[in-house]
Amino acid sequence: MANQVKRVDPHIERIKRNRLHPRHLELTATAISMGPNGVIRKDPHKIGFMGPNGIKRIDRANLNQASGSSVNQMQIEEQKPKHIIESPTRYIVVLPDLAAGRLSSHDKDVLGYAHSLANENTAVIAIAFGEHKETGWQDAGVDRLLELNDDIYQGFSPEARIQALVQIEQSLDVAHFLFPDSIDGGADLGRRFAAELDSRPVTHGWKPLEDSIICRASAGTQDLTKTLSKVMLLDAEVADPIDETQHAASTLDELELAVSAKALINDLGMLAVNPADISLSVAPFILSGGNGIRDWDTFHQAASVLGATEGASRVAVDDGFMPRHRQVGASGIWVSARVYIAVGISGAVQHLQGISQVDKVIAINTNTKCDMIKRADLSIIADSTDILNALVELVQAQEISEGESHAA
Amino acid sequence: MPLSQLTTHTLLSLGKHPLSGRTRRAEQDAKAFELAAKLGQCLGLHAGNYQDADALKSFAGMSIAPVCILEIEQSADPVAALSAYFKQTKSDIILTGSQAERGESSGMLPYLLAKSLDLPVINQVCEVEQTEAGLNITQALPRGARRAISVKPPCILIIDESAPEARQTAYGAAMRAEVGKLQGYNETDTDAASFNFEDASKKPKRMKKIKAKTAADRFKAATVSQAKGGQVIEPKTSQEGAEAILKLLKEEGLVKTN
Ligand SMILES: Cc1cc2nc3c(=O)[nH]c(=O)nc-3n(C[C@H](O)[C@H](O)[C@H](O)COP(=O)(O)OP(=O)(O)OC[C@H]3O[C@@H](n4cnc5c(N)ncnc54)[C@H](O)[C@@H]3O)c2cc1C
């Protein structure tokens, strides 16, 4: 992270105070000033500094910004060593799932594994099918990036994607194609591709050995050691993600792909799912109520307007406001939502355990000191009913204005 | 107009109870069989040894359709046998589970079969409906999301965990059932002969690695708790608080932006 740290150089401070010091003028002079007519003047004599051999030097590239000022604004950005592959002769292709548009930790593990198979002439290519929001390719170990987001690659489009992969395999010297073996898409695409190439893949590979990898077999109850294959499907945590080097992630553009849009499988789009039908443990968005809810009707209305699955704390369940299967926490359900709104929940350990997998927590509470606020990414200190009512109004107002703009 | 009658095959395999290790019906295949029940004329097909007929009777005990064994040798590749079978016997829909409960369980069978028969294959299917244009399929995605897909038969469908539960098997019906026998095409799977299975070893839990370069960083990592605490807003009006929440929800793409 970029940390701004001010560092004062006492040596320069001392020179600035001592008019007799040979470098005094150089450090105090301001080379650029406003002339009498309001024109910016540069004094060429005052620019630059004396080099070590008594020759005047002008630092036009600004390499040595520190010289005029004793306060050095240092950017403590971890300067990771750069990992640059100029002219690769061999490639390893990784197909991240990009679930929710970003590299998942599973994707990053697979990228880490790709680098363990690479040598100094190998570039790791990541192929991003469809739209994505990822920006951290360089830090995740991507040497080359190929973004394929034409219409034919959107949604569920295995046929187009396989065509593209086959052409890549024909035009580049690819040692391995690596897929995360996950339900977010990698498991399916990888198996399709292995079948297309007619090569027996590594599936559920989880423990790399020297020239082979241990795979889970018999639905996870047995291990099977396989030699490395062209197509490999890997479990999460197969290797550590890349975090010590910075990679180029330059675009790979010398490829000409000719993919036909003809498909036997037609994606008709996502279906509207009633949030109440989604099992609490996998629901992506949960509105959870606790002892701080005064008006349960407002709570239910807010959940339906926002399209959130309902959850509850144990007290809310014990008091009979919510059914038992909605209870979140140690003695209830462990949730994995991307956003969890805790309304009037104090954040007892038993409850916090249940939400340890949650990405973003929003707390609505009247008490600034409660533990939920320490856990939350965004906390609103206000009465639960008021905020829920305001939320409902806001969303409904937006829907109405949207409806009007559509009608217009 | 009545819809045309579809012929369906469900590929059945033997399961293994994860704890007792006892042979049972493979649960995913049972779900596939259940789904096939409403899709018209069906046959349950297992490529393997006829000695397993007794174990396969638990599928017959579901009283959905007859069960048949395509007999092949121990070392033979079931994909080759099934592919040869389906080249002769046309089937509109072939239903499979996503992964066998025994053996390599690579989940490749439906894909290899699709490749050799040149059929489209769809994974994570939880619902199938016949329409005039073909089939409407509901695909189960992670986090409870669902996608609609249309495809024309013939096709291969891989059933998802979230498909409707399979009915129980009736012991009496299972015992009375006859398991059919067909001669399958034998092609030896040479790779599989060298497979050496061991009991699954435990995956170690991943440790948090502290990669501090300086002593100060190491000290910080060891002492300062990682809990960051987020933004705290004390809104003047409830409107203001609601807007802050809505902003975050929009960033996460959970509420539509206009
Ligand atoms: C063995 C064991 C297992 C347990 N398992 C679980 C479990 O699985 N799940 C679980 O949830 N609990 C569990 N508990 C209970 C847990 O310890 C807490 O008692 C419980 O989580 C507290 O629920 P709460 O936060 O809703 O209520 P409280 O602790 O009463 O908190 C209510 C919160 O609402 C706030 N509030 C009050 N009025 C308002 C208002 N008008 N507007 C906004 N905020 C307001 C208050 O400031 C307070 O923070 C377990 C306990 C034990 C002993």
Side-chain angles (χ1 to χ4, degrees):
Chain A
M1 286 287 98
N3 247 347
Q4 292 278 340
V5 177
K6 279 192 176 169
R7 295 206 190 273
V8 177
D9 186 341
H11 188 59
I12 292 180
E13 290 278 282
R14 212 175 309 126
I15 298 174
K16 278 184 170 173
R17 285 198 300 272
N18 179 3
R19 277 186 292 127
L20 300 177
H21 195 280
R23 289 186 66 201
H24 175 77
L25 262 184
E26 172 198 317
L27 292 179
T28 48
T30 47
I32 300 171
S33 59
M34 183 94 76
N37 302 333
V39 181
I40 297 287
R41 298 269 176 215
K42 260 188 195 171
D43 184 354
H45 297 289
K46 287 181 184 165
I47 302 177
F49 59 96
M50 283 311 207
N53 302 334
I55 301 172
K56 189 160 188 179
R57 298 272 176 220
I58 296 177
D59 179 15
R60 294 198 198 278
N62 259 349
L63 295 173
N64 197 5
Q65 283 167 320
S67 63
S69 126
S70 61
V71 181
N72 182 4
Q73 290 277 359
M74 240 173 70
Q75 281 273 15
I76 311 247
E77 175 96 46
E78 303 146 39
Q79 276 293 330
K80 296 187 192 169
K82 288 214 160 56
H83 177 99
I84 305 274
I85 311 272
E86 288 290 350
S87 44
T89 52
R90 180 175 168 265
Y91 294 93
I92 293 179
V93 175
V94 174
L95 285 117
D97 285 334
L98 296 172
R102 300 208 178 87
L103 285 173
S104 64
S105 68
H106 194 167
D107 294 338
K108 289 181 183 169
D109 296 344
V110 174
L111 280 164
Y113 179 64
H115 278 280
S116 74
L117 299 175
N119 57 27
E120 63 273 21
N121 297 322
T122 314
V124 173
I125 306 178
I127 301 182
F129 282 118
E131 301 288 341
H132 69 81
K133 293 181 260 178
E134 181 60 47
T135 50
W137 300 103
Q138 287 161 339
D139 297 316
V142 176
D143 296 319
R144 301 282 186 278
L145 179 62
L146 180 60
E147 288 168 300
L148 297 174
N149 52 11
D150 296 336
D151 284 347
I152 42 171
Y153 301 119
Q154 304 297 341
F156 185 64
S157 51
E159 291 148 294
R161 294 180 184 202
I162 291 298
Q163 279 184 52
L165 288 181
V166 168
Q167 289 174 26
I168 289 165
E169 127 80 19
Q170 283 160 356
S171 49
L172 296 176
D173 181 12
V174 182
H176 302 285
F177 285 87
L178 308 183
F179 297 79
D181 204 342
S182 72
I183 48 167
D184 286 306
D188 179 54
L189 194 67
R191 287 182 172 84
R192 278 177 202 274
F193 187 52
E196 188 65 37
L197 296 189
D198 204 13
S199 96
R200 193 176 210 120
V202 159
T203 52
H204 288 293
W206 69 276
K207 190 175 183 186
L209 304 175
E210 191 88 2
D211 284 318
S212 53
I213 183 162
I214 303 185
C215 308
R216 284 283 195 238
S218 304
T221 58
Q222 285 186 311
D223 276 342
L224 171 63
T225 309
K226 284 187 184 173
T227 48
L228 301 187
S229 56
K230 180 112 196 175
V231 180
M232 295 205 259
L233 292 106
L234 305 158
D235 276 352
E237 302 193 2
V238 62
D240 286 330
I242 296 291
D243 65 350
E244 288 187 325
T245 46
Q246 179 143 38
H247 296 252
S250 50
T251 44
L252 185 83
D253 44 16
E254 59 263 38
L255 283 177
E256 280 285 327
L257 300 178
V259 175
S260 86
K262 203 169 108 324
L264 296 169
I265 301 171
N266 293 315
D267 184 349
L268 304 181
M270 303 299 280
L271 295 172
V273 179
N274 181 0
D277 293 343
I278 305 177
S279 136
L280 201 54
S281 56
V282 298
F285 178 25
I286 298 174
L287 181 71
S288 194
N291 201 18
I293 298 267
R294 299 278 162 270
D295 179 1
W296 283 93
D297 290 338
T298 315
F299 174 79
H300 295 308
Q301 195 195 356
S304 81
V305 167
L306 290 172
T309 309
E310 290 182 6
S313 79
R314 176 151 176 182
V315 172
V317 172
D318 286 350
D319 290 352
F321 293 113
M322 291 288 276
R324 182 62 71 195
H325 65 266
R326 294 276 164 211
Q327 180 186 323
V328 173
S331 51
I333 288 168
W334 292 56
V335 299
S336 60
R338 273 169 46 218
V339 175
Y340 183 87
I341 309 186
V343 192
I345 298 178
S346 60
V349 273
Q350 292 91 353
H351 193 87
L352 290 183
Q353 276 170 6
I355 61 170
S356 60
Q357 300 283 312
V358 173
D359 267 353
K360 288 224 158 70
V361 176
I362 303 177
I364 302 175
N365 207 304
T366 42
N367 179 2
T368 40
K369 299 247 158 31
C370 74
D371 287 325
M372 185 56 85
I373 289 183
K374 294 192 189 113
R375 166 70 173 84
D377 298 82
L378 172 66
S379 314
I380 309 291
I381 311 298
D383 181 71
S384 57
T385 318
D386 293 350
I387 294 286
L388 288 179
N389 274 326
L391 256 178
V392 170
E393 270 169 36
L394 213 60
V395 175
Q396 279 173 346
Q398 227 170 58
E399 272 165 10
I400 290 168
S401 73
E402 233 170 75
E404 278 169 0
S405 69
H406 279 306
Chain B
M1 195 181 81
L3 297 170
S4 61
Q5 176 81 330
L6 294 173
T7 54
T8 308
H9 282 75
T10 309
L11 304 188
L12 306 176
S13 62
L14 294 180
K16 189 163 102 181
H17 192 279
L19 296 178
S20 69
R22 214 190 267 175
T23 304
R24 61 166 189 187
R25 61 175 193 185
E27 283 306 304
Q28 287 186 346
D29 297 343
K31 281 186 179 175
F33 213 18
E34 182 68 53
L35 210 64
K38 60 169 204 174
L39 286 174
Q41 200 194 350
C42 175
L43 178 69
L45 192 64
H46 170 77
N49 202 311
Y50 196 74
Q51 282 168 5
D52 295 329
D54 278 347
L56 282 168
K57 281 187 174 171
S58 53
F59 285 110
M62 292 166 74
S63 304
I64 289 172
V67 174
C68 203
I69 292 183
L70 192 61
E71 203 179 27
I72 53 173
E73 283 159 20
Q74 196 73 43
S75 60
D77 181 4
V79 177
L82 290 169
S83 160
Y85 172 85
F86 284 114
K87 275 177 184 156
Q88 280 174 3
T89 318
K90 290 282 170 259
S91 177
D92 293 318
I93 304 176
I94 303 172
L95 289 157
T96 78
S98 68
Q99 185 187 52
E101 289 178 23
R102 315 163 156 250
E104 190 186 358
S105 99
S106 64
M108 283 298 291
L109 185 135
Y111 296 97
L112 291 170
L113 199 57
K115 171 84 170 99
S116 79
L117 299 173
D118 201 15
L119 296 180
V121 53
I122 298 176
N123 64 319
Q124 290 171 356
V125 173
C126 64
E127 252 178 68
V128 184
E129 196 191 341
Q130 193 186 0
T131 60
E132 273 169 37
L135 296 174
N136 268 358
I137 286 162
T138 308
Q139 194 182 33
L141 302 180
R143 297 198 171 281
R146 295 283 185 271
R147 180 190 276 141
I149 290 172
S150 78
V151 69
K152 276 206 181 69
C155 61
I156 299 183
L157 306 179
I158 307 172
I159 299 307
D160 186 72
E161 288 290 331
S162 59
E165 280 304 319
R167 66 188 74 176
Q168 286 193 328
T169 162
Y171 183 75
M175 288 303 105
R176 283 190 299 274
E178 282 282 328
V179 174
K181 183 171 172 179
L182 293 166
Q183 185 50 50
Y185 165 73
N186 285 305
E187 186 182 300
T188 315
D189 183 352
T190 41
D191 293 345
S194 63
F195 282 162
N196 188 8
F197 292 97
E198 287 161 49
D199 279 348
S201 53
K202 212 168 163 232
K203 276 190 195 179
K205 193 171 180 296
R206 182 180 263 180
M207 291 293 173
K208 203 175 83 188
K209 271 195 197 138
I210 295 168
K211 288 182 178 165
K213 291 205 180 62
T214 62
D217 286 349
R218 269 194 296 280
F219 181 68
K220 214 163 125 191
T223 51
V224 179
S225 81
Q226 297 297 310
K228 49 218 178 309
Q231 187 192 6
V232 178
I233 299 180
E234 294 193 35
K236 291 193 190 63
T237 62
S238 42
Q239 175 96 9
E240 191 188 325
E243 269 164 10
I245 294 177
L246 212 57
K247 186 164 156 268
L248 195 145
L249 295 182
K250 280 179 182 169
E251 276 169 14
E252 290 296 314
L254 291 168
V255 173
K256 270 188 263 104
T257 37
N258 46 345

